[in-house]
């Protein structure tokens, strides 16, 4: 079995990190579809081969080990610009290289093999570990979770790094200490020991428990739940094994306290533990994860055999039900997460229990696991992970630990000591099943590896160093001992009735909208909190004890599971670019082409490149289209508008296609959603793509534009196409007002709408490619709102223009946001310019341009007088758009500069007024005045610095925008002294939330 997988990797994937057993091809980092954090195990350094080196030795294949060693020395390097997991890289790569080095030296001493070897793997291990050291440069000594192999922590991807798991920080000491003692360089053991010391100091002093995730800078716990599963498991293991390997009794003392604390808080059977650090108490977890399977093995090493047998038996019965141990299962032993990536932890515990009890029962357990692997995971090109133990569906994945651990423990379980070419009693296994020599306990900074037993007399120190720390024989010598413990647990899993309670779901992950206050309230009831990360991602944390009720807590777990599944599904799907829905309709009397960004579908006709579908639109009846439609006769040859909900997207598409529809537009069923505040939504299918028409998705708020146009124009036609305008921000709605030309046919005057290639169209874009509330002046925050000017139309009369003028003034008065103000301002400028042309005035004259820009300036001042934040937003967040509008209103650069100057002064005046008013309303009492005055002086200094800095950025921003607009350099300097327009008195009254 090992060679089937190993040969498949070497023939089809080496020197890549992993084999994709279903595709039978290599998995390279950043070449295949990203799998998220899973890929941080990969570093383009032949991971699987390095991880499997000592397995070749355990199986006695010195010849292949020699060949593999030469390949690693020749091909593997680490100067790669790639971000990797510190934890995974240490246990798999550093540990694999050190173990390979130890095996090479050991075989040379025992059998005279590998005479060419000169410690190359140890040098490589030192190089790689040195590349991990920058992660340890924190105030606590706790390493960052990730590091860039080439640039350390200077990689842009690591700027927001701050949290790591307990196991990630506490599973380094064995490899780093071994490296220090084999090379004589103490830095590695010192760094790992400091991390272990910090973890111990951060324990909960009342319970001796540690949390699961902590901040590397402060040491504070981010997740305070404690247990023995994922995120914490190998920390306990390394405490005990660090004592065994290094002889430091401090590690044993820490392990014993942690172990006693964990066992104290376990109730309701083995491993059902979830302890909150603030109030140490036991609460049953609603599910247990597969990494729990390592715990019985650790209990064996501790000498606590009875609970080890009990926990192992419970896990084995779960395996008998599902063939494999699922990644997580509920407390009534139903599948919670169905994946099984061929993990080794259960086999490791089985092997150690067999060593402890000599009970052949554990051979039969291993046999069943072996047969399940052969029957359900074997594929022609290796062994494939099981995506769901309930269906047996495979995943195109074979992790390196399958060769390093899974098959190694299986082989050791069935082997006899005489089958092995090395004495395993001289070694200890790391968490990745790599072998480190016990003789390291007596080494300080010596490069020494254990030799064969017949090298002569051994002193007592050496003998003690190679022995297990438990001096007494703790395990009973009869097979019936383990059976007496297992007997009461017979059918333990089968006798537990699965819960039949049906939870009435209030919210599913697929329905969740982060901007919906009702949804946020439901999450709080479920015990779920949301944390916004600095890199823009959102982290969801579930704590059962914070839920409103037990049913809410259970629904919270289901929600989290669904969210994880959705995330994985999204990562597995190919990249789907956005699409657009565009149509021609009349806005304020002008023919206008509106383009709305739409979400794609991962099935059906792919609207890429020049592929597009156009036709008349019709609404389905009923709108959700999950049953027979009442207007089937209207569907043929149409693009059908339907609503999300009640059935799958692809089911709706199949129904529409069967009725002859040429496409579909799905509207969100949650009111007031918008691409402005929500990420792009891609509709997924059911695995069978038998649809030949396109489907696109519109958020409900964006869809209102389409529905209103359809209401005004029942014969409306739309175009579904690719999103090829790279200048339009995410979530944009673009309105292009096309030029209207008059023609005469047969004496009758007609108006035709079209885009004139000779002139630039008038474009209004509401762009939202920044987070709401953000007010930075980044270079790439927005594109221009207005391009060019619209020509006047002789068909428009002055009376109509006056009516338009009044309508636009009302729109400006009703505007509530900076975007709405800008749109109204653009329309105002267009109407005024058309009026001037109709009157025979030339727009380029100083009088006309100055008049329009002065009017606009006054309107903006009047509009923002009651709300300075609107003017602040125009001058900071929407500076580019504002300058574009002013440039259209005032072709003269001097007018543009003067208007900006005036608006900034107006903001200063409004700010000073607001601050003075605030100071008067909150005037402190006399006894508090001295302390308040001192604080205010300090604060004013900071605010002055902030304002100076922002003014500099404001100047730089204006220069860049002017350069983009093509204004001459002599005009750029005319506003360079903007900073001086803010008087010291004004600065002193600025509040922290102002510009």
């Amino acid at each position: 079995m090992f060679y089937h997988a190993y040969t498949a990797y070497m023939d089809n994937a080496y020197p890549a990190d992993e084999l994709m057993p279903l595709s039978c091809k290599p998995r390279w980092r950043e070449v295949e579809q990203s799998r998220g954090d899973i890929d941080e195990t990969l570093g383009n350094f032949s991971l699987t081969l390095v991880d499997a080196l000592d397995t070749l030795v355990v199986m006695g294949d010195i010849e292949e080990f020699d060949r593999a060693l030469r390949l690693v020395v020749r091909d593997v390097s680490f100067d790669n610009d790639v971000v990797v997991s510190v934890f995974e890289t240490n246990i798999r790569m550093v540990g694999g290289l050190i173990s390979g080095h130890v095996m090479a030296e050991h075989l040379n001493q025992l059998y005279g093999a590998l005479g060419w070897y000169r410690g190359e793997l140890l040098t490589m291990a030192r190089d790689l570990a040195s590349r991990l050291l920058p992660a340890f440069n924190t105030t606590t000594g706790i390493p960052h979770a990730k590091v860039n192999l080439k640039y350390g922590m200077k990689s842009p991807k690591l700027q927001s790094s701050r949290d790591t798991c307990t196991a990630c920080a506490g599973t380094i000491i064995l490899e780093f200490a071994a490296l220090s003692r084999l090379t004589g360089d103490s830095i590695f053991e010192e760094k790992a020991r400091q991390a272990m010391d910090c973890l111990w100091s951060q324990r909960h002093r009342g319970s001796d428990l540690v949390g699961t995730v902590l901040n590397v800078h402060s040491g504070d716990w981010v997740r305070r739940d404690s247990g023995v599963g994922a995120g914490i498991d190998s920390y306990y293991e390394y405490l005990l094994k660090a004592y065994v390997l290094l002889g430091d009794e401090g590690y044993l003392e820490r392990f014993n306290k942690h172990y006693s604390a964990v066992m104290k808080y376990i109730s309701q059977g083995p491993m059902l533990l979830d302890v909150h650090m603030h109030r140490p108490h036991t609460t049953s977890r609603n599910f247990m994860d597969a990494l729990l399977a390592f715990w019985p093995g650790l209990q064996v090493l501790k000498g606590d055999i009875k609970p080890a047998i009990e926990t192992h038996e419970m896990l084995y019965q779960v395996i008998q039900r599902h063939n494999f141990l699922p990644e997580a299962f509920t407390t009534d032993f139903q599948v919670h997460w169905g994946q099984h990536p061929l993990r080794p932890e259960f086999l490791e515990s089985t092997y150690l229990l067999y060593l402890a009890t000599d009970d052949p029962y554990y051979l039969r357990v291993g046999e069943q696991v072996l047969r399940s692997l052969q029957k359900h995971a074997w594929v022609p090109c290796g062994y494939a992970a099981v995506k769901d133990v309930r269906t047996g569906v495979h995943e195109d994945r074979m992790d390196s630990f399958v060769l390093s651990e899974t098959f190694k423990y299986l082989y050791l379980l069935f082997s006899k000591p005489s089958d092995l070419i090395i004495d395993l009693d001289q070694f200890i296994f790391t968490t990745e099943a790599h072998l480190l020599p016990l003789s390291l306990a007596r080494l300080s900074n010596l490069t020494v590896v254990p030799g064969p037993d017949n090298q002569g007399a051994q002193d007592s120190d050496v003998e003690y160093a190679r022995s297990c720390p438990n001096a007494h024989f703790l395990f009973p010598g009869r097979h019936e001992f383990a059976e007496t413990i297992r007997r009461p647990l017979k059918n333990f899993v089968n006798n537990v009735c699965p819960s039949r309670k049906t939870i009435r779901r209030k919210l599913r992950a697929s329905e969740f909208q982060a901007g919906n206050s009702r949804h946020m309230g439901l999450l709080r009831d479920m015990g779920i909190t949301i944390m916004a990360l600095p890199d823009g991602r959102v982290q969801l944390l579930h704590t059962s004890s914070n839920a409103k009720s037990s049913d809410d807590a259970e629904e919270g777990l289901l929600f989290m599971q669904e969210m994880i599944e959705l995330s994985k599904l999204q990562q597995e799907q190919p990249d789907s670019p956005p699409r657009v829905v565009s149509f021609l309709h009349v806005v304020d009397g002008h023919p206008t082409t509106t383009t709305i960004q739409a979400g794609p579908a991962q099935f059906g006709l792919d609207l890429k490149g020049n592929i597009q579908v156009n036709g008349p639109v019709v609404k389905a009846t009923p709108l959700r289209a999950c049953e027979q439609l009442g207007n089937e006769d209207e569907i043929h040859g149409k693009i059908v508008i339907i609503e999300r909900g009640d059935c799958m997207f692809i089911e709706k598409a199949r129904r529409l296609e069967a009725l002859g529809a040429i496409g579909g537009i799905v509207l969100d069923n949650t009111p007031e959603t918008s691409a402005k505040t929500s990420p792009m939504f891609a509709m997924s299918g059911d695995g069978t793509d038998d649809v030949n028409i396109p489907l696109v998705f519109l958020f409900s708020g964006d869809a209102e534009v389409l529905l209103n146009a359809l209401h005004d124009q029942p014969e409306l036609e739309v175009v579904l196409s690719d999103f090829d305008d790279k200048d339009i921000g995410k979530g944009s709605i673009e309105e292009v007002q096309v030029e209207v030309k008059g023609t005469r046919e047969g004496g009758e005057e007609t108006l035709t709408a079209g885009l004139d290639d000779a002139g630039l169209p008038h474009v209004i874009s509401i762009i939202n490619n920044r987070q709401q509330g953000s007010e930075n002046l980044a270079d790439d925050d927005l594109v221009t709102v207005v391009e060019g000017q619209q020509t006047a139309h002789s068909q428009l009369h002055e009376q109509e223009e006056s009516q338009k003028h009044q309508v636009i003034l009302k729109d400006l008065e009703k505007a509530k946001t900076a975007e709405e103000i800008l749109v109204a301002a653009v329309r105002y400028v267009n109407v005024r310019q058309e009026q001037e042309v109709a009157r025979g005035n030339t727009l380029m004259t100083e009088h006309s341009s100055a008049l329009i820009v002065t009017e606009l300036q006054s309107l903006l001042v009047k509009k923002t007088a009651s709300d300075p934040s609107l003017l602040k937003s125009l001058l900071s967040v929407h500076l580019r758009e504002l300058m574009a509008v002013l440039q259209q209103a005032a072709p003269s650069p001097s007018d543009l500069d003067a208007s900006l100057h005036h608006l900034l002064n107006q903001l200063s005046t409004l700010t000073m007024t607001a601050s003075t008013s605030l100071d008067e309303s909150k005037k402190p009492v006399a006894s508090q005045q001295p302390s308040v005055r001192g604080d205010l002086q300090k604060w004013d200094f900071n605010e002055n610095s902030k304002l100076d800095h922002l003014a500099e950025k404001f100047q730089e921003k204006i220069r860049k925008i002017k350069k983009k607009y093509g204004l001459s350099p002599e005009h750029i300097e005319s506003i360079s002294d903007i900073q001086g327009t803010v008087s010291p008195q004004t600065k002193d009254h600025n509040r922290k939330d102002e510009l």
Side-chain angles (χ1 to χ4, degrees), residues 820-835:
E820 293 174 351
I821 291 175
L822 286 168
V823 171
V826 171
R827 291 175 179 167
Y828 177 85
V829 171
N830 286 334
V831 170
R832 286 290 291 112
Q833 289 177 338
E834 289 170 349
Q835 288 177 342

Side-chain angles (χ1 to χ4, degrees), residues 537-598:
R537 293 181 299 161
V538 175
Q539 185 179 58
L540 278 71
L541 302 177
H542 179 253
T543 306
S544 296
S545 58
N546 292 341
K548 190 175 181 181
S549 67
S550 58
D551 285 350
D552 287 321
E554 190 167 349
E555 183 176 5
L557 282 172
L558 294 174
F559 182 91
M560 294 293 285
Q561 178 186 356
E562 291 173 350
M563 191 62 74
I564 292 172
E565 295 297 333
L566 283 175
S567 178
K568 289 182 178 179
L569 181 63
Q570 185 179 21
Q571 292 172 2
E572 293 170 1
Q573 293 291 346
D575 185 26
S576 299
R579 307 302 181 199
V580 293
V581 177
S582 55
F583 48 91
L584 180 68
H585 64 135
V586 178
V587 176
D588 294 333
H590 292 286
T592 303
T593 297
T594 296
T595 302
I596 308 175
Q597 183 175 322

